[in-house]
Amino acid sequence: MTGLLPDDSGKYTEPYEDFLGLEILPNKKGRTVAGGLLRILLRRGMTDIYFLGSDAVTSNTGHLSGAIAYLRRDLDRKLIFIVRCMAHICSRTLRRVTSSDPNPSPT
């Protein structure tokens, strides 16, 4: 996904890209996911990272063997992660879009 960011004058002229990369992984284990993400970040020259977002699946959030734990060890630093359940986000978004009620309940 691409778009424009505002420049100093407030005009939207600065391009940006949300999509960092794609890795085809042989499995969903924490070590594999962390390795794929690290390769994407290194290809983009993003080595000084401190914040990341993640889905709440166990392969990402496991204390010792989740992707977050491996990234912290591989990068040898503390990382701040925003963890969200993507299934709930998608479900709530879809419910709001398909509802005739402009303010459906968030459940």
Side-chain angles (χ1 to χ4, degrees):
M1 298 175 77
T2 60
L4 295 175
L5 293 173
D7 60 15
D8 294 336
S9 68
K11 294 180 183 176
Y12 286 84
T13 59
E14 300 293 319
Y16 77 91
E17 187 173 318
D18 285 343
F19 190 73
L20 293 177
L22 178 68
E23 286 276 324
I24 297 173
L25 304 175
N27 59 59
K28 297 184 277 185
K29 295 179 181 177
R31 172 80 266 168
T32 307
V33 172
L37 181 55
L38 194 56
R39 285 189 297 275
I40 289 170
L41 294 172
L42 292 174
R43 278 197 307 266
R44 289 292 197 138
M46 300 173 75
T47 56
D48 292 331
I49 60 166
Y50 296 92
F51 301 93
L52 286 172
S54 168
D55 185 35
V57 297
T58 304
S59 61
N60 288 343
T61 60
H63 175 67
L64 296 175
S65 61
I68 294 170
Y70 282 113
L71 280 172
R72 285 181 174 146
R73 288 193 293 267
D74 290 348
L75 295 170
D76 193 29
R77 72 174 64 120
K78 294 181 180 181
L79 297 171
I80 297 173
F81 271 82
I82 297 171
V83 179
R84 297 179 177 179
C85 179
M86 295 309 294
H88 284 105
I89 291 170
C90 292
S91 171
R92 290 177 179 174
T93 302
L94 183 60
R95 186 175 294 123
R96 182 173 285 274
V97 169
T98 59
S99 174
S100 59
D101 180 359
N103 297 306
S105 70
T107 59

